[in-house]
Each structure stands twice: as structure tokens, then as C-alpha cells.
Amino acid sequence: MSEKVKARIQGDDYTIVGDTDPEYIHRLAELVDRKIRELQLGMPSASKLKLAVLAALNFADELEQSKSDSPVMGASSPEAEEKTRKLITLIEEGLIGDL
């Protein structure tokens, strides 16, 4: 059953709908908020959209790095891939739903 979870990122409220544990969604939102704030320190005049895209690129880089660090080059577990797909869906729904 899908649940609605409210999360605040960069001072904006987002309603995220998903089948994932609400606490997990809150942890992800906190992680995204922290990353965006970190980027904002180095680029105080950047738009929220630019910061969000740069944060997404950072997370994508971390994902690719973790794939290359795994014992089988480029391999990842089905669980990690499923969580990644869910995260991407949540991000897309959150960004599209609140624009």
C-alpha cells in the first residue's frame, strides 16, 4: 500500500508517495538535503534546480563508484538496483509533482 510522506528539502516541502518505509524516505530526504546544502556552500548563488541536478550527479557518481568497487566489475545486487529504481522514481515524482 502506498503511503504519503512529507519531507522538507532546501526549505521546500515535498509529498512523496511510495511503498517504501516512511523512515527510509525521511533518511533519503535528509541525505539529499545535506548534499544540496554542502554544494550550496561552494555555490551560494546557484539556483535550487542547479543544486538538485549537481546533487543527483554526485549520487550517480557514488553509485557508479560503488559498482566498480564490487568484486565483479560493474555488478550490483538486485536489492541495490531495486532501491536505486525506487529512489529515482521518488525523486522524479517529487520534483515533477511539486513544480
Side-chain angles (χ1 to χ4, degrees):
M1 179 177 170
S2 294
E3 289 190 49
K4 290 184 179 183
V5 178
K6 296 216 182 277
R8 183 174 281 261
I9 300 172
Q10 274 299 108
D12 292 327
D13 292 322
Y14 294 91
T15 300
I16 302 166
V17 179
D19 295 331
T20 307
D21 176 31
E23 287 303 314
Y24 179 71
I25 294 173
H26 282 288
R27 285 194 310 271
L28 292 177
E30 288 172 9
L31 180 64
V32 170
D33 185 64
R34 219 176 8 252
K35 178 62 80 177
I36 290 174
R37 289 184 189 282
E38 177 185 304
L39 291 167
Q40 190 175 36
L41 288 174
M43 303 181 339
S45 63
S47 70
K48 286 184 178 185
L49 178 59
K50 183 177 239 175
L51 291 169
V53 168
L54 291 172
L57 286 170
N58 273 268
F59 290 128
D61 178 53
E62 289 174 16
L63 176 62
E64 288 301 310
Q65 293 292 329
S66 71
K67 284 181 180 180
S68 66
D69 290 343
S70 65
V72 179
M73 192 71 150
S76 64
S77 71
E79 295 84 15
E81 294 210 10
E82 178 63 22
K83 283 185 178 182
T84 301
R85 276 193 293 279
K86 284 183 179 181
L87 176 58
I88 290 168
T89 301
L90 291 172
I91 291 169
E92 288 174 344
E93 288 174 356
L95 289 176
I96 294 169
D98 289 347
L99 288 178

